[in-house]
PDB file of all heavy atoms in Angstrom:
ATOM      1  N   PHE A 147      19.824 100.220  39.995  1.00 96.00           N
ATOM      2  CA  PHE A 147      20.020  98.925  40.613  1.00 96.00           C
ATOM      3  C   PHE A 147      18.778  98.045  40.536  1.00 96.00           C
ATOM      4  O   PHE A 147      18.204  97.596  41.576  1.00 96.00           O
ATOM      5  CB  PHE A 147      20.500  99.066  42.087  1.00 96.00           C
ATOM      6  CG  PHE A 147      21.824  99.827  42.175  1.00 96.00           C
ATOM      7  CD1 PHE A 147      21.905 101.121  42.467  1.00 96.00           C
ATOM      8  CD2 PHE A 147      23.076  99.133  41.914  1.00 96.00           C
ATOM      9  CE1 PHE A 147      23.110 101.826  42.509  1.00 96.00           C
ATOM     10  CE2 PHE A 147      24.262  99.770  42.020  1.00 96.00           C
ATOM     11  CZ  PHE A 147      24.338 101.117  42.309  1.00 96.00           C
ATOM     12  N   THR A 148      18.342  97.831  39.313  1.00 97.00           N
ATOM     13  CA  THR A 148      17.094  97.083  39.049  1.00 97.00           C
ATOM     14  C   THR A 148      17.353  95.955  38.049  1.00 97.00           C
ATOM     15  O   THR A 148      18.048  96.171  37.022  1.00 97.00           O
ATOM     16  CB  THR A 148      16.001  98.043  38.573  1.00 97.00           C
ATOM     17  OG1 THR A 148      15.706  99.025  39.571  1.00 97.00           O
ATOM     18  CG2 THR A 148      14.718  97.269  38.225  1.00 97.00           C
ATOM     19  N   ILE A 149      16.806  94.774  38.287  1.00 97.00           N
ATOM     20  CA  ILE A 149      16.837  93.666  37.385  1.00 97.00           C
ATOM     21  C   ILE A 149      15.497  93.135  37.167  1.00 97.00           C
ATOM     22  O   ILE A 149      14.737  92.954  38.076  1.00 97.00           O
ATOM     23  CB  ILE A 149      17.822  92.552  37.969  1.00 97.00           C
ATOM     24  CG1 ILE A 149      19.179  93.063  38.222  1.00 97.00           C
ATOM     25  CG2 ILE A 149      17.843  91.359  36.997  1.00 97.00           C
ATOM     26  CD1 ILE A 149      20.077  92.090  38.863  1.00 97.00           C
ATOM     27  N   LEU A 150      15.197  92.828  35.915  1.00 98.00           N
ATOM     28  CA  LEU A 150      13.897  92.205  35.540  1.00 98.00           C
ATOM     29  C   LEU A 150      14.084  90.816  34.953  1.00 98.00           C
ATOM     30  O   LEU A 150      14.862  90.622  34.035  1.00 98.00           O
ATOM     31  CB  LEU A 150      13.205  93.157  34.440  1.00 98.00           C
ATOM     32  CG  LEU A 150      11.683  92.881  34.235  1.00 98.00           C
ATOM     33  CD1 LEU A 150      10.853  93.300  35.381  1.00 98.00           C
ATOM     34  CD2 LEU A 150      11.228  93.565  32.932  1.00 98.00           C
ATOM     35  N   THR A 151      13.414  89.851  35.544  1.00 98.00           N
ATOM     36  CA  THR A 151      13.516  88.426  35.159  1.00 98.00           C
ATOM     37  C   THR A 151      12.160  87.748  34.972  1.00 98.00           C
ATOM     38  O   THR A 151      11.125  88.342  35.330  1.00 98.00           O
ATOM     39  CB  THR A 151      14.391  87.597  36.137  1.00 98.00           C
ATOM     40  OG1 THR A 151      13.734  87.769  37.465  1.00 98.00           O
ATOM     41  CG2 THR A 151      15.823  88.052  36.193  1.00 98.00           C
ATOM     42  N   GLU A 152      12.243  86.561  34.343  1.00 97.00           N
ATOM     43  CA  GLU A 152      11.008  85.840  34.136  1.00 97.00           C
ATOM     44  C   GLU A 152      10.339  85.364  35.439  1.00 97.00           C
ATOM     45  O   GLU A 152      11.104  85.055  36.393  1.00 97.00           O
ATOM     46  CB  GLU A 152      11.355  84.636  33.199  1.00 97.00           C
ATOM     47  CG  GLU A 152      10.145  83.885  32.744  1.00 97.00           C
ATOM     48  CD  GLU A 152      10.454  82.782  31.701  1.00 97.00           C
ATOM     49  OE1 GLU A 152      11.658  82.451  31.643  1.00 97.00           O
ATOM     50  OE2 GLU A 152       9.590  82.308  31.047  1.00 97.00           O
ATOM     51  N   TYR A 153       9.059  85.290  35.479  1.00 97.00           N
ATOM     52  CA  TYR A 153       8.349  84.867  36.693  1.00 97.00           C
ATOM     53  C   TYR A 153       8.062  83.348  36.626  1.00 97.00           C
ATOM     54  O   TYR A 153       7.606  82.881  35.607  1.00 97.00           O
ATOM     55  CB  TYR A 153       7.055  85.638  36.832  1.00 97.00           C
ATOM     56  CG  TYR A 153       6.145  85.205  37.942  1.00 97.00           C
ATOM     57  CD1 TYR A 153       6.547  85.214  39.240  1.00 97.00           C
ATOM     58  CD2 TYR A 153       4.890  84.707  37.576  1.00 97.00           C
ATOM     59  CE1 TYR A 153       5.701  84.776  40.253  1.00 97.00           C
ATOM     60  CE2 TYR A 153       4.001  84.248  38.633  1.00 97.00           C
ATOM     61  CZ  TYR A 153       4.433  84.354  39.949  1.00 97.00           C
ATOM     62  OH  TYR A 153       3.555  83.847  40.927  1.00 97.00           O
ATOM     63  N   HIS A 154       8.353  82.681  37.717  1.00 97.00           N
ATOM     64  CA  HIS A 154       7.959  81.270  37.802  1.00 97.00           C
ATOM     65  C   HIS A 154       7.096  81.058  39.049  1.00 97.00           C
ATOM     66  O   HIS A 154       7.559  81.135  40.171  1.00 97.00           O
ATOM     67  CB  HIS A 154       9.264  80.402  37.900  1.00 97.00           C
ATOM     68  CG  HIS A 154      10.072  80.404  36.692  1.00 97.00           C
ATOM     69  ND1 HIS A 154       9.785  79.619  35.544  1.00 97.00           N
ATOM     70  CD2 HIS A 154      11.110  81.221  36.309  1.00 97.00           C
ATOM     71  CE1 HIS A 154      10.595  79.924  34.587  1.00 97.00           C
ATOM     72  NE2 HIS A 154      11.461  80.806  34.989  1.00 97.00           N
ATOM     73  N   PRO A 155       5.754  80.810  38.826  1.00 96.00           N
ATOM     74  CA  PRO A 155       4.822  80.808  39.930  1.00 96.00           C
ATOM     75  C   PRO A 155       5.076  79.789  41.030  1.00 96.00           C
ATOM     76  O   PRO A 155       4.651  79.959  42.133  1.00 96.00           O
ATOM     77  CB  PRO A 155       3.448  80.568  39.222  1.00 96.00           C
ATOM     78  CG  PRO A 155       3.876  80.060  37.862  1.00 96.00           C
ATOM     79  CD  PRO A 155       5.119  80.526  37.483  1.00 96.00           C
ATOM     80  N   LEU A 156       5.746  78.682  40.694  1.00 97.00           N
ATOM     81  CA  LEU A 156       6.032  77.695  41.743  1.00 97.00           C
ATOM     82  C   LEU A 156       7.166  78.091  42.667  1.00 97.00           C
ATOM     83  O   LEU A 156       7.384  77.361  43.741  1.00 97.00           O
ATOM     84  CB  LEU A 156       6.358  76.337  41.115  1.00 97.00           C
ATOM     85  CG  LEU A 156       5.199  75.706  40.254  1.00 97.00           C
ATOM     86  CD1 LEU A 156       5.620  74.340  39.743  1.00 97.00           C
ATOM     87  CD2 LEU A 156       3.951  75.547  41.128  1.00 97.00           C
ATOM     88  N   GLY A 157       7.821  79.196  42.433  1.00 95.00           N
ATOM     89  CA  GLY A 157       8.805  79.703  43.361  1.00 95.00           C
ATOM     90  C   GLY A 157      10.076  78.912  43.543  1.00 95.00           C
ATOM     91  O   GLY A 157      10.452  78.155  42.656  1.00 95.00           O
ATOM     92  N   SER A 158      10.726  79.116  44.710  1.00 96.00           N
ATOM     93  CA  SER A 158      12.032  78.480  44.889  1.00 96.00           C
ATOM     94  C   SER A 158      11.821  77.055  45.240  1.00 96.00           C
ATOM     95  O   SER A 158      10.763  76.571  45.641  1.00 96.00           O
ATOM     96  CB  SER A 158      12.747  79.204  46.002  1.00 96.00           C
ATOM     97  OG  SER A 158      12.296  78.821  47.269  1.00 96.00           O
ATOM     98  N   LEU A 159      12.916  76.230  45.296  1.00 97.00           N
ATOM     99  CA  LEU A 159      12.928  74.851  45.624  1.00 97.00           C
ATOM    100  C   LEU A 159      12.583  74.590  47.049  1.00 97.00           C
ATOM    101  O   LEU A 159      12.270  73.419  47.432  1.00 97.00           O
ATOM    102  CB  LEU A 159      14.254  74.264  45.290  1.00 97.00           C
ATOM    103  CG  LEU A 159      14.570  73.989  43.822  1.00 97.00           C
ATOM    104  CD1 LEU A 159      15.975  73.479  43.587  1.00 97.00           C
ATOM    105  CD2 LEU A 159      13.536  73.118  43.142  1.00 97.00           C
ATOM    106  N   ARG A 160      12.583  75.622  47.904  1.00 96.00           N
ATOM    107  CA  ARG A 160      12.250  75.412  49.279  1.00 96.00           C
ATOM    108  C   ARG A 160      10.738  74.879  49.467  1.00 96.00           C
ATOM    109  O   ARG A 160      10.463  74.183  50.362  1.00 96.00           O
ATOM    110  CB  ARG A 160      12.381  76.693  50.086  1.00 96.00           C
ATOM    111  CG  ARG A 160      13.820  77.075  50.377  1.00 96.00           C
ATOM    112  CD  ARG A 160      13.944  78.185  51.376  1.00 96.00           C
ATOM    113  NE  ARG A 160      13.467  79.467  50.834  1.00 96.00           N
ATOM    114  CZ  ARG A 160      13.711  80.706  51.360  1.00 96.00           C
ATOM    115  NH1 ARG A 160      14.356  80.713  52.545  1.00 96.00           N
ATOM    116  NH2 ARG A 160      13.253  81.707  50.792  1.00 96.00           N
TER     117      ARG A 160
END
Side-chain angles (χ1 to χ4, degrees):
F147 297 99
T148 299
I149 300 173
L150 193 71
T151 54
E152 189 174 16
Y153 172 63
H154 293 279
L156 296 183
S158 81
L159 287 177
R160 284 191 293 193

